Amino acid sequence: MICSTCFRHCQLQEGQIGFCRARQNKGGKIICANYGYVTSMAIDPIEKKPLALFHPGSTLLSIGSYGCNLDCPFCQNFQISRMAKSSDANFVSPEKIRDMALQAKQTQSNLIGVAYTYNEMLCSWEYVRDCAQLIHKAHLLNVLVTNGTASLDVLDEILPYIDAMNIDLKSLNAQTYASILHGDLNQTMAFIEKAIPACHVEITTLVVPGMNDSESEIDALTHWISQQDPNIPYHLTRYFPRYQMDTPATNISTLYRLKEIAQTHLHHVFVGNV
């Protein structure tokens, strides 16, 4: 069976799990093997997603599972993104997520909904869809944090229920995506283009020294974003050594220099993790 969730199109034998560690061939069907298994949950400020211009000052019930369809050597959440199912993951039904969000709102009046975050939650897009439908029926909002490499068919499934997204655009260099991230730049660009008219979109670039921190890289990347909409909020985020990469953290002065370049194309540019 071929999994059509993302650009990888993993060919899976019976019982085999895909690259993402979240999808499996079971009984002749590709299923979401991590459906409902939550590894991380917290009440987060919306600015942590990061979303700067979508209900600022509010909070979200943030949930994450395990698995990711990329393998970035600098992954900041590798403990869950690169793990397989373990005893650390607890099953939480979509109905329970709704109830927990409503309960949290009783004590935090600024809570506006649920964020699907921490790992690549579109590897379990069915769970996101099912939770998000219930959250909307409860008159709350849905926020998705994603690497933007899911198929456009998957995007179609969730878009009616997603109110805001933060999408990673890690580089505008196809070779960087292919050789370092094991990803697909064209898929990410197509995902962003389709998401922009449908919901509030903000874009983040984790600035990694020696990979995407050149002035020419950020100039080209933010120029492309401006061609979609110059009002899209853009976040330049500081990298710290994690997972397989021990390169020193991004120089703060580099981030602010790149911010000046980004502002020649975009109206709303933010620096994070400084």
Side-chain angles (χ1 to χ4, degrees):
M1 299 294 296
I2 297 176
C3 179
S4 59
T5 296
C6 80
F7 66 95
R8 292 190 178 281
H9 299 112
C10 291
Q11 300 183 45
L12 306 177
Q13 301 295 327
E14 173 65 30
Q16 187 177 5
I17 292 177
F19 179 92
C20 66
R21 295 171 165 82
R23 305 197 69 79
Q24 182 181 27
N25 180 350
K26 187 173 182 179
K29 295 181 179 180
I30 301 297
I31 67 159
C32 174
N34 66 342
Y35 185 99
Y37 284 96
V38 174
T39 60
S40 302
M41 181 180 294
I43 303 293
D44 287 332
I46 199 165
E47 289 80 7
K48 188 178 178 181
K49 297 305 101 190
L51 289 172
L53 299 184
F54 184 78
H55 296 272
S58 63
T59 62
L60 297 157
L61 173 64
S62 295
I63 62 172
S65 184
Y66 61 87
C68 184
N69 60 342
L70 297 183
D71 190 19
C72 304
F74 46 80
C75 181
Q76 306 291 288
N77 288 327
F78 69 94
Q79 296 95 333
I80 58 174
S81 69
R82 302 313 304 154
M83 73 180 282
K85 182 180 177 181
S86 76
S87 58
D88 294 330
N90 299 307
F91 182 81
V92 186
S93 70
E95 292 79 11
K96 182 64 174 177
I97 294 296
R98 175 203 58 203
D99 294 346
M100 293 175 74
L102 288 171
Q103 184 178 11
K105 187 167 180 60
Q106 291 178 4
T107 58
Q108 295 200 26
S109 60
N110 63 337
L111 188 137
I112 61 169
V114 174
Y116 310 92
T117 180
Y118 301 137
N119 72 305
E120 181 45 61
M121 286 293 282
L122 289 188
C123 294
S124 48
W125 62 266
E126 298 96 331
Y127 183 63
V128 173
R129 177 200 60 198
D130 294 349
C131 288
Q133 287 177 332
L134 293 177
I135 292 299
H136 264 189
K137 288 179 181 178
H139 307 292
L140 297 172
L141 301 177
N142 293 295
V143 169
L144 174 67
V145 180
T146 177
N147 63 30
T149 59
S151 73
L152 298 187
D153 288 340
V154 166
L155 183 58
D156 285 339
E157 289 280 350
I158 64 162
L159 264 182
Y161 316 107
I162 300 299
D163 301 289
M165 291 190 198
N166 185 288
I167 306 172
D168 288 341
L169 182 55
K170 301 173 189 289
S171 172
L172 209 67
N173 185 316
Q175 185 61 30
T176 297
Y177 260 82
S179 63
I180 298 178
L181 315 176
H182 308 291
D184 187 310
L185 173 61
N186 289 333
Q187 180 68 67
T188 305
M189 294 170 73
F191 187 100
I192 291 171
E193 289 172 345
K194 189 162 191 175
I196 287 170
C199 66
H200 178 89
V201 170
E202 302 193 16
I203 295 175
T204 294
T205 299
L206 182 72
V207 179
V208 181
M211 187 189 85
N212 61 358
D213 62 337
S214 70
E215 294 183 7
S216 59
E217 167 93 18
I218 298 303
D219 181 62
L221 189 151
T222 52
H223 174 67
W224 180 80
I225 296 173
S226 72
Q227 291 179 312
Q228 316 312 309
D229 184 348
N231 289 306
I232 292 174
Y234 178 62
H235 302 262
L236 289 158
T237 305
R238 191 184 189 197
Y239 145 92
F240 289 93
R242 297 295 300 274
Y243 192 31
Q244 299 170 340
M245 186 172 283
D246 58 5
T247 303
T250 316
N251 192 297
I252 293 176
S253 63
T254 297
L255 289 171
Y256 283 101
R257 185 182 79 249
L258 296 177
K259 178 182 179 180
E260 292 178 358
I261 292 170
Q263 286 175 322
T264 65
H265 301 294
L266 301 171
H267 299 153
H268 310 288
V269 182
F270 305 91
V271 169
N273 281 359
V274 296

